[in-house]
Amino acid sequence: MTYTYETNGAAIYKQSFAMIRAEAALARFTPEEEPIAVRMVHAAGMVGLEQHVRMSPDFATAARAALGTGAPVLCDAHMVSEGVTPARLPNENQVICTLRDPSVPGRAAEMGNTRSAAALELWRPHLKGALVAIGNAPTALFHLLNMLQDPDCPRPAAIIGCPVGFVGARESKDALWADQPVPCLIVEGRLGGSAITVAAINAIASRAE
């Protein structure tokens, strides 16, 4: 049997986004937020995800401004950092993931926490004004919130908080949304993951100046 299917990559791309905009409930997003939500839906392959996306009013502006000034992107997992498209970044921004640093296992043991959480301690020199992207580990998001309770801890410009899973994912995002130490984006509940986190970063980067 010979299968007939669309073979033009540009046409597939155009049709996919047209279908999302036709089917998804996007009216509540501002013009600055809508492209972020659309790309997240596209990455998930799930119309309906947009109903769980929450952005604080100044998130899109703050995140884009940070990238425009050359701020780094700090990622909790290599699945996130490897997905960022360098060509989209507006100012040769560094994309940093510290999870594989040799000191992390020892730090985790000392802290009595996961390696994902311990790796964030290595973010401190880069954290001021950064775009933070947590797309995997709830423990990383919880630890970041604990770090930011210290008035001496540098403050990022914005946080994408989309960890995925069954233990702590919902709770960590609820905590971020309730606290909002800086402008933030979350996906409510257990939904989340590296792909939609990367999609949000790339959407922000594409429109940053």
Side-chain angles (χ1 to χ4, degrees):
M1 178 182 293
T2 300
Y3 294 94
T4 301
Y5 55 94
E6 180 61 71
T7 59
N8 184 294
I12 293 169
Y13 185 88
K14 182 177 180 180
Q15 184 178 353
S16 295
F17 282 85
M19 291 172 70
I20 291 168
R21 289 191 164 94
E23 297 177 20
L26 300 169
R28 67 182 175 85
F29 296 106
T30 68
E32 292 76 23
E33 296 167 346
E34 189 258 16
I36 302 172
V38 167
R39 286 189 178 272
M40 293 173 75
V41 170
H42 181 255
M46 177 184 162
V47 170
L49 179 77
E50 77 282 355
Q51 298 176 31
H52 302 279
V53 173
R54 295 286 180 267
M55 300 183 217
S56 56
D58 46 355
F59 169 79
T61 301
R64 288 187 177 121
L67 293 186
T69 60
V73 182
L74 304 181
C75 305
D76 69 322
H78 285 277
M79 287 188 291
V80 177
S81 62
E82 294 299 318
V84 178
T85 305
R88 294 182 187 275
L89 295 170
N91 203 0
E92 298 183 353
N93 308 73
Q94 283 187 286
V95 180
I96 299 171
C97 180
T98 54
L99 188 57
R100 294 177 184 160
D101 187 280
S103 69
V104 166
R107 287 176 181 269
E110 290 176 7
M111 293 167 57
N113 208 330
T114 66
R115 286 180 292 172
S116 295
L120 269 62
E121 289 295 327
L122 300 175
W123 286 7
R124 291 181 185 271
H126 313 286
L127 195 55
K128 185 176 180 179
L131 174 60
V132 167
I134 297 179
N136 190 348
T139 56
L141 182 51
F142 272 128
H143 188 62
L144 176 65
L145 291 172
N146 284 336
M147 289 169 62
L148 293 176
Q149 289 184 16
D150 179 354
D152 294 327
C153 181
R155 317 289 284 187
I159 299 170
I160 300 171
C162 296
V164 62
F166 295 89
V167 179
R170 180 194 303 272
E171 293 82 359
S172 66
K173 290 179 285 188
D174 287 349
L176 172 60
W177 191 249
D179 193 20
Q180 295 196 32
V182 299
C184 60
L185 176 159
I186 67 165
V187 176
E188 297 173 318
R190 294 171 173 175
L191 298 169
S194 300
I196 64 175
T197 303
V198 167
I201 298 167
N202 286 335
I204 293 163
S206 295
R207 292 175 176 245
E209 297 177 353

